[in-house]
Every structure is written in C-alpha cells, then in structure tokens.
Amino acid sequence: MDFFDVARTQRAMRRLYSDPIADEDLWTILETAIMAPSGGNRQPWNFVVIRDAGVKAKIAAWYLEAWTTAYGGATRDAMLADAAMAKTFKSADYLARHLADVPVLVLATIKKDMFAIGPTLGASIYPAVQNLMLAARALGLGTALTTLHKLHEADVKQLLGIPDDVETMALIPVGRPKGQFGRPNRLPVEKVVYWDGWGKQRTRS
C-alpha cells in the first residue's frame, strides 16, 4: 500500500475476528516496530506476543475489570448519551468483553533506566507501537492502542515473568477486522496547527 493511504486509514479497530494470524505477518509487523527512532539508539523495548488461550483469558479478565471500573455506571451512561462518543464507547466496550477472543495480543514494554524515566518513558516505545500499527494496517490487520491493563500492572508482570525494571506501556490487540478501514473523523489540520506562535493559524493555499 501507499504509505499515505496506510497512515490516513489506520484507525483503532476493536472488533476483531478470532482467526489465527500467520507467524510471517507477526514477524513483519514486529520488525517494522523496531525500526522506529530510539533515543541514543538504546532500543530499550521488548514485545511480548501472547497467543496462549489461558494467558489471554487472565489478561482479558483484568482488562474487563479495569474497563468496568473506569467506564461503568454514570460514566457509561454519559458517554452513551453523547452522540459523538457513543460509537467509540460501544467499540471499546466490545473489545473489553471480547479481548480473550482476539488471536494475538502484543504487550509493548520498556526497560527503565536513567534516560527513560518520568515524562520521557514513552519517547522510544510509542513510535515503535505506531510503526507496529501502521505495518499491521498495511497487511490488512486491525489494531488498537490500549493501556487499561496497567490497572493490573503487577498481576500482568507476574503472569508473564516480566522483570521489576521493565514497565508495560501498551497492550495491542491484533486481528483481522470485522469493520472497514477508513479515514478517521478528525478536525481540519488548519484548526490544530499554529505557525510561529500559539493561536497563529493559517489557511492552506
């Protein structure tokens, strides 16, 4: 696919089929992930590929508990009442209730050191995650960047044997999407870009 077509149609795909994903496709998206920029070329990342049904079930249970805690009750009602948010909420709710059925979960982690702490912790890993998601899109696979598992960070790390000096940063479901790729709903670029100072907008010529 043309790069710009990939980038402009790579959107969160949370409704995924349970069909297995080929090893070759997984290696392709993971190798693309590690081509991302890395501060000082330290490459502090690791990726845990999760396909074992029992492991996925445990993570899915924690994820659903976190989802219900964060987005249940009045929050759920308010989001469903908002026409702009309802579609996204229903999609995210579906993922939370079907995470165990997703064929592959990829857990992106980063080793904490003197250069990767506090607000800079995600500086290397999130470009790699975006590379992974773009590569998946180019192969016709759906993904979404999720972080709710972090409400059970200690449980997830113990389950997977992740060392204390490594932090999990994103959980990415990967699968064949049930929906259609397409350009996401975004504000016009002229509305969010300022030139040479805050609030200084320009129109495209």
Side-chain angles (χ1 to χ4, degrees):
M1 292 182 64
D2 174 78
F3 170 78
F4 292 101
D5 287 340
V6 170
R8 288 168 177 161
T9 61
Q10 182 265 314
R11 60 195 303 175
M13 304 298 278
R14 303 182 184 92
R15 293 182 173 91
L16 304 170
Y17 288 106
S18 59
D19 306 357
I21 304 301
D23 280 359
E24 183 179 354
D25 287 344
L26 286 174
W27 285 119
T28 295
I29 66 175
L30 291 161
E31 185 173 33
T32 306
I34 66 166
M35 294 299 123
S38 171
N41 198 30
R42 291 179 300 108
Q43 306 174 59
W45 48 53
N46 285 100
F47 300 87
V48 183
V49 178
I50 303 162
R51 293 196 287 193
D52 180 271
V55 175
K56 286 193 296 179
K58 289 180 180 179
I59 293 174
W62 292 324
Y63 189 97
L64 180 58
E65 181 185 316
W67 167 258
T68 303
T69 299
Y71 296 101
T75 301
R76 174 188 177 92
D77 294 341
M79 295 184 76
L80 287 173
D82 184 337
M85 288 298 302
K87 183 177 180 181
T88 298
F89 180 88
K90 290 177 182 178
S91 173
D93 187 67
Y94 180 93
L95 177 64
R97 298 179 190 282
H98 295 83
L99 190 67
D101 300 328
V102 173
V104 179
L105 302 176
V106 177
L107 188 67
T109 74
I110 193 163
K111 185 171 183 178
K112 295 179 284 188
D113 59 26
M114 64 181 294
F115 299 106
I117 55 174
T120 67
L121 189 59
S124 289
I125 193 63
Y126 289 127
V129 169
Q130 177 67 344
N131 266 21
L132 185 155
M133 295 170 70
L134 288 169
R137 166 65 189 102
L139 294 174
L141 299 173
T143 60
L145 195 165
T146 75
T147 55
L148 277 173
H149 75 281
K150 287 186 68 64
L151 294 181
H152 282 277
E153 171 92 353
D155 295 321
V156 172
K157 289 177 67 171
Q158 182 177 22
L159 175 66
L160 298 171
I162 297 173
D164 290 341
D165 63 343
V166 172
E167 184 159 352
T168 71
M169 299 298 287
L171 182 69
I172 305 113
V174 183
R176 190 166 59 86
K178 294 183 177 181
Q180 299 294 316
F181 289 106
R183 191 172 182 126
N185 184 22
R186 295 289 186 266
L187 292 170
V189 66
E190 296 90 345
K191 296 285 187 181
V192 298
V193 176
Y194 302 140
W195 300 81
D196 298 317
W198 187 263
K200 298 179 180 179
Q201 295 178 319
R202 290 174 51 186
T203 58
R204 293 177 85 165
S205 57

